[in-house]
Amino acid sequence: MRILPVLCALLLLMLQGVTGLSPARASAQECERRGGFCSHRSCPPGIGRIGLCSEQEFCCRMRWYP
């Protein structure tokens, strides 16, 4: 039973590389294609960060995007 948390942690680490689960460095066009917008320094309250547009801009999108 002690190995179960370790296996769960390993599974999560492996899934981080899957597209959509990790913030990917992308352009503004890629951010807009994913239904987001670029925001300087941080995303507004209630809006989640889904990636990066540049070194100082985050790609933001509403959490419950269809």
Side-chain angles (χ1 to χ4, degrees):
M1 293 305 263
R2 290 183 180 180
I3 197 163
L4 188 59
V6 174
L7 289 176
C8 289
L10 286 174
L11 180 64
L12 288 175
L13 285 174
M14 289 177 12
L15 289 177
Q16 280 185 343
V18 177
T19 304
L21 292 180
S22 64
R25 183 171 297 275
S27 65
Q29 291 83 15
E30 178 68 18
C31 180
E32 289 178 10
R33 185 188 67 77
R34 295 176 66 192
F37 60 93
C38 294
S39 179
H40 190 67
R41 297 197 185 208
S42 67
C43 296
I47 306 291
R49 184 171 67 186
I50 60 170
L52 298 170
C53 294
S54 67
E55 289 183 12
Q56 295 181 351
E57 289 186 319
F58 294 108
C59 182
C60 306
R61 180 176 74 187
M62 293 197 59
R63 294 188 190 276
W64 301 109
Y65 184 78

